[in-house]
Amino acid sequence: MTSPQRAPGGFPVVGIIGGGQLARMCQPPAVNLSITLSVLAESADAAAAQVIPSAPVGSHLDLDAVLSFARECDVVTFDHEHVPQEILHALVDAGVQVHPKPEALIYAQDKLAMRRRLTELGVPCPAWARITDRAGLAAFGDEHGWPVVLKTPRGGYDGKGVRIVASADDAQDWLARGEELLVEEAVSFARELAVLVARSPSGQAAVWPIVHTVQTDGICTEVLAPAPELDAGLQAGVTHAALRIAGELDVTGVFAVELFEITDDVGGSSYVVNELAMRPHNSGHWTMDGSVTSQFEQHLRAVLDLPLGDVRPRDRWTVMGNVLGGDYPQLYSAYRHLLARDPGLKVHLYGKQVRPGRKIGHVNVCGTDLADLRMRARHAADFFEGTVTE
């Protein structure tokens, strides 16, 4: 394995396990911070391997490959949350600085562990239970009302590993596996929110404004930053809870808390926590153009225990639109058209092969007219997908 070429002056090497788009988007701020990145990529043409010179190919499931990679790095972090705990602990035992630590990352890897810990901390959550059979699912549904939300504890994302079931019969195929499952009440919510926190090993923390995330078929398609018309009390409560979770779980790096906002009959607002993510997150892509410090720069600062950057917004509003693949694999002509049509549009493509429904990039627009920004972001995403043609 070729060692990464270190920058002059003793600046560190940050290793990222996983060569996806999150690692790719760390490269520009790494250059600006004089930090060298190295990624353990799944393939030679992985998204991050296209832009990061030091990109040895190896699997996050291969202990020898991971250890060999980590020996050339000053600190190791992650593009995703799928590195097994035994490999994470082997890194720690070998003296590697790992952020976030295995003891924290488990709460993003295992939804049952996450629910147990948040419940212990008194953080609002949906009613939930661990089940392994039909009787357990039926009892939960009868108590809390049907339909319910059934989740696989590990491996789910973008709507995968999640199912809405109206009866125990609807889940027979999952129940037949005999594996433990997480069942939750189906929360009636007004909208989905997310809050992004960065925390360093020395305990410094910074929080970006809470955002409104719009989901389509389980995939985030739009983010409004900050969340419009957010109750001040709810904003303070969510921010405090996110900081407390980060501290209690000893999270290091960038950390996202996804929430449901619930409104009552008299206009009051409350929330429950839906998911945790311990890495730069889709809900924070707006920060690349809309915040003084992006989530990717902040993640590098945090895992290196550097002073954290300013998280204030650059403009009144930023709207992020996810770009999903369509039936047109050649994107460059669409890219040229959109840059000419909307000079204020910021386009971030991930270097991925286009497949229908696959996240292949995102766009950001900033300004003072929220309705106009939403229209511009939506048009750009639709044009890339091919659902609009002008």
Side-chain angles (χ1 to χ4, degrees):
M1 182 176 294
T2 303
S3 300
Q5 184 64 46
R6 292 174 179 264
F11 281 79
V13 173
V14 175
I16 304 178
I17 297 178
Q21 67 264 23
L22 299 181
R24 178 189 178 101
M25 287 184 278
C26 284
Q27 177 66 343
V31 170
N32 292 335
L33 290 168
S34 299
I35 293 165
T36 299
L37 290 187
S38 183
V39 296
L40 184 64
E42 297 82 1
S43 65
D45 62 351
Q50 298 170 27
V51 299
I52 298 174
S54 175
V57 174
S59 171
H60 64 278
L61 303 175
D62 183 337
L63 176 58
D64 291 337
V66 171
L67 285 172
S68 178
F69 169 77
R71 289 189 190 102
E72 303 297 333
C73 305
D74 295 291
V75 62
V76 168
T77 186
F78 309 97
D79 176 77
H80 55 70
E81 294 146 336
H82 307 311
V83 182
Q85 280 284 311
E86 55 268 26
I87 291 182
L88 296 174
H89 283 285
L91 286 171
V92 173
D93 291 343
V96 177
Q97 288 193 54
V98 176
H99 296 293
K101 300 173 185 175
E103 294 82 2
L105 196 59
I106 187 64
Y107 298 111
Q109 294 177 324
D110 187 324
K111 293 181 178 65
L112 279 168
M114 178 265 293
R115 283 283 177 250
R116 292 188 189 102
R117 187 69 179 112
L118 293 184
T119 300
E120 290 171 359
L121 294 174
V123 174
C125 295
W128 66 276
R130 171 191 173 276
I131 64 161
T132 57
D133 54 27
R134 180 188 178 92
L137 176 58
F140 184 90
D142 291 343
E143 178 181 357
H144 296 283
W146 299 93
V148 298
V149 181
L150 198 61
K151 298 180 179 180
T152 55
R154 290 175 175 266
Y157 65 96
D158 284 349
K160 300 177 178 66
V162 179
R163 181 184 291 186
I164 307 295
V165 297
S167 70
D169 291 338
D170 291 347
Q172 192 55 43
D173 55 338
W174 280 16
L175 294 169
R177 303 172 192 165
E179 301 170 353
E180 62 178 9
L181 296 168
L182 170 65
V183 61
E184 299 175 347
E185 66 173 322
V187 176
S188 178
F189 58 89
R191 59 178 171 175
E192 296 188 57
L193 304 172
V195 59
L196 205 64
V197 179
R199 184 173 179 273
S200 66
S202 60
Q204 185 188 8
V207 187
W208 285 269
I210 298 166
V211 301
H212 173 200
T213 63
V214 179
Q215 314 288 322
T216 305
D217 298 327
I219 297 175
C220 177
T221 51
E222 184 184 41
V223 172
L224 312 182
E229 300 178 357
L230 185 63
D231 176 80
L234 181 65
Q235 181 175 352
V238 166
T239 300
H240 179 267
L243 285 167
R244 181 165 177 254
I245 293 168
E248 292 283 356
L249 273 52
D250 196 19
V251 179
T252 46
V254 165
F255 167 67
V257 183
E258 299 178 79
L259 313 120
F260 295 135
E261 180 182 3
I262 303 167
T263 55
D264 58 31
D265 295 337
V266 295
S269 295
S270 59
Y271 72 92
V272 293
V273 171
N274 181 32
E275 303 276 1
L276 304 180
M278 294 185 193
R279 51 177 166 74
H281 190 255
N282 201 175
S283 66
H285 287 353
W286 71 272
T287 64
M288 294 177 74
D289 303 294
S291 175
V292 174
T293 306
S294 78
Q295 65 167 340
F296 300 102
E297 176 182 340
Q298 199 79 299
H299 186 67
L300 296 174
R301 286 173 174 253
V303 300
L304 288 167
D305 211 9
L306 294 171
L308 299 182
D310 187 344
V311 294
R312 286 177 297 178
R314 292 184 179 274
D315 218 322
R316 176 68 185 90
W317 302 104
T318 299
V319 175
M320 186 280 291
N322 266 326
V323 175
L324 304 180
D327 295 324
Y328 307 99
Q330 298 302 315
L331 301 176
Y332 190 58
S333 61
Y335 175 81
R336 285 172 55 90
H337 170 80
L338 289 169
L339 293 187
R341 184 182 189 274
D342 188 349
L345 184 72
K346 300 298 183 182
V347 179
H348 304 274
L349 299 177
Y350 305 153
K352 291 182 172 182
Q353 292 295 318
V354 176
R355 293 200 303 264
R358 185 187 199 188
K359 286 183 188 174
I360 57 172
H362 69 272
V363 298
N364 287 329
V365 282
C366 307
T368 58
D369 186 333
L370 180 59
D372 176 67
L373 297 176
R374 295 188 73 176
M375 180 182 65
R376 289 162 57 194
R378 183 72 266 147
H379 173 271
D382 287 346
F383 194 87
F384 272 122
E385 192 173 355
T387 55
V388 299
T389 56
E390 59 183 14

